[in-house]
Structure formats: structure tokens, C-alpha cells
Amino acid sequence: MRLGGPLFGDVSTPELWIAELQKKEYRAAYCPVGADADEATVQAYRNAAQAADIVIAEVGAWSNPISPDPAIRSAAITHCQNQLALADRIRARCCVNIAGSRGQQWDGPHPVNLTDETFDLIVETVQIIIDAVRPKHTFYALETMPWIFPDSPESYRRLIQAIDRPTFAVHLDPANLINCPSRYYENAHLIRECFRLLGPHIKSCHAKDIHLQSHMTVHLDEVRPGLGGMDYAVFLREVERLDPITPIMLEHLPNEHEYDLAAMYVRGISATLTQSQ
């Protein structure tokens, strides 16, 4: 397992980037450059990562390629293709996006998000993205979400089968799958099912947590790892069974101090698991 997260210092050169990663004791990283970077710059960061034994976990392609607005959909597909090409150039583990949404909010719920029609549209869209790039060194992946496919390990497996591309893979965010009380209280079983059904396809993971509020009606809040109900011992134990360079990336915290606390928590759970073996 490789832990990583956002950086807050100067990363404008490969040397400074590696120094910031080492200061945080991260062994995985988000992609440090954009798709407009020239080949020499991409190669310099790629070489620096390799020399320092840093895994570039993912290139984000955050956009809505299934938008009902044709202009937004077209621009998003192009963006995903460009980001996938960047991931291939820099040798990232994957290029990741969510599937999108059929509503105006690119990452929001919508009445038709979980229909067969939308499932088929996601399949077609991912095929278009992958077939335009044909990556050789990376994978395209969809982050699990609470209200769009893939919203369960079973629906992710269906997508893998339907998309039918060897360079389509899994980006696992188990907190995003916890969308009701039963999943909240039984999240250890949910996590195990994710790894049982999807394990060989998982290229990168996000590390966050979720807390079920006690006031009506059901309300779930994303929180820092360790402040919610997610079973991190099960999560990390399952990750440890994968490729040892599998990244777990911290995200969505408000400041550097919160990231330091999150990293401390994840490392503490990992150390406890190691001692118990």
C-alpha cells in the first residue's frame, strides 16, 4: 500500500515535488502536471518519480461526459481523452473520472441516473474515451459514487463486462458507496465484497470517511478518516492483499493540518495491522 495526498508547497520542478512528497512521507502522488505540459516536462516528472520510488496514482478527468447538454458532453469527452493520454505519458496508475450525471450538476443525483438507459450511455462513453487513446501504460477508471453507476461492487462488475476493454479498471472510494444506514453499519461487508468482486481490477483508492447524523431524516456527512463509521482496519487489510504499490489517496480536507491528521490515522491503523500479523 502507498499513501499519498495533496501537497501544499512548491512543486514547480521535479526536485521540489519529490522534496514535498518526502517531507510528508508520501509514497504515492497525484499527477503534478496538466495535459498541456510538453513531453520534456512530463518525462522529467516521470523520471523523478521512478528514481524516488513514487507511484503516480491518478490523473483526474473530472467532468460530465454523459451530460444531457451536447456541448458539455462533447467537451467532457475530449477532456477525458486528453487526461487519459496524459496518464499514459506520465505512467500514472489510472486516469479517473466519475461517470457523470444526467442532470445539470455534473456530480449530482438525477431521476434517471440509475436506469438501464444511463448504464448503456456510460458504457458507450467509456468505450469512446478509451478507443480514442488506446493507452499502453495506464487505465481509465470510474470512481464509485452513491447515485450514479458504479454504485455497488455488482454494478461495477457489470460495467467491466459491458465495456469490455482491457484498459478499463476500478477506482475504489468505499465511502462514496455508503449511501444508506444498512451500508453504513455493514460497511465492513460492503468493503470485503468490493475487493472480492473487483480486487484484480483496482488501480487506486481514495481515503476518506463518512458519519451518519442522528437527526431526521437520513443524513450522511463526509469526514476525515477516523472521524466516521468506516471500518479502516478492513479497508487497509484488503488493500494490503493487492499489488503492494496500490495507492490510497487522501482527499477533500480543508487544510494541510487536517491532511496530516488523516495520514497519521491511516498509518496508525496500518501499523496496528502489521503488528497483529
Side-chain angles (χ1 to χ4, degrees):
M1 183 190 80
R2 299 290 188 95
L3 182 65
L7 300 172
F8 292 82
D10 185 356
V11 297
S12 59
T13 69
E15 295 77 17
L16 291 171
W17 176 58
I18 294 297
E20 287 296 314
L21 288 165
Q22 292 174 339
K23 183 170 72 174
K24 295 298 183 184
E25 298 182 356
Y26 287 156
R27 299 171 66 216
Y30 288 109
C31 181
V33 299
D36 58 347
D38 60 50
E39 193 56 38
T41 299
V42 170
Q43 184 172 343
Y45 278 92
R46 185 177 73 219
N47 291 346
Q50 183 176 9
D53 191 25
I54 298 293
V55 172
I56 299 176
E58 61 193 66
V59 173
W62 313 115
S63 58
N64 190 4
I66 63 167
S67 170
D69 183 317
I72 293 175
R73 170 171 158 78
S74 177
I77 288 174
T78 298
H79 178 64
C80 291
Q81 291 166 343
N82 290 339
Q83 294 299 95
L84 179 56
L86 171 61
D88 207 42
R89 291 162 63 203
I90 206 163
R91 306 296 194 269
R93 291 271 294 177
C94 66
C95 172
V96 58
N97 192 13
I98 64 169
S101 175
R102 295 300 288 161
Q104 295 303 311
Q105 181 182 330
W106 76 281
D107 59 350
H110 189 271
V112 303
N113 270 4
L114 295 173
T115 62
D116 290 342
E117 178 185 5
T118 297
F119 184 94
D120 292 343
L121 180 60
I122 293 168
V123 170
E124 175 191 346
T125 302
V126 171
Q127 289 173 336
I128 289 170
I129 292 165
I130 291 174
D131 291 349
V133 179
R134 299 188 181 279
K136 295 180 175 61
H137 308 287
T138 194
F139 297 83
Y140 188 75
L142 296 177
E143 183 176 350
T144 45
M145 287 290 283
W147 46 55
I148 185 69
F149 301 116
D151 66 330
S152 68
E154 294 81 9
S155 67
Y156 215 137
R157 185 169 63 173
R158 285 178 57 219
L159 280 171
I160 291 170
Q161 293 168 346
I163 290 168
D164 192 26
R165 297 293 187 273
T167 51
F168 178 63
V170 172
H171 187 289
L172 182 62
D173 188 328
N176 283 359
L177 294 178
I178 300 170
N179 56 6
C180 63
S182 60
R183 282 191 176 183
Y184 182 82
Y185 289 115
E186 299 171 11
N187 72 84
H189 172 73
L190 173 66
I191 291 167
R192 291 188 183 102
E193 278 298 284
C194 287
F195 284 87
R196 185 180 71 84
L197 294 179
L198 307 172
H201 301 280
I202 296 171
K203 300 303 174 184
S204 188
C205 301
H206 280 165
K208 56 193 192 216
D209 210 332
I210 193 162
H211 175 66
L212 176 62
Q213 298 283 5
S214 59
H215 58 266
M216 294 292 283
T217 62
V218 175
H219 192 87
L220 291 152
D221 283 328
E222 182 181 314
V223 294
R224 191 181 79 221
L227 299 182
M230 203 171 87
D231 194 327
Y232 258 82
V234 169
F235 181 30
L236 298 184
R237 189 179 293 114
E238 293 294 333
V239 174
E240 288 288 0
R241 294 190 175 117
L242 303 181
D243 186 328
I245 66 169
T246 302
I248 291 185
M249 305 301 293
L250 304 169
E251 65 163 0
H252 293 177
L253 295 174
N255 54 56
E256 186 173 7
H257 178 62
E258 289 288 302
Y259 279 106
D260 290 343
L261 292 175
M264 185 184 306
Y265 174 77
V266 173
R267 288 176 176 135
I269 297 295
S270 181
T272 299
L273 293 175
T274 299
Q275 292 167 5
S276 66
Q277 290 177 349

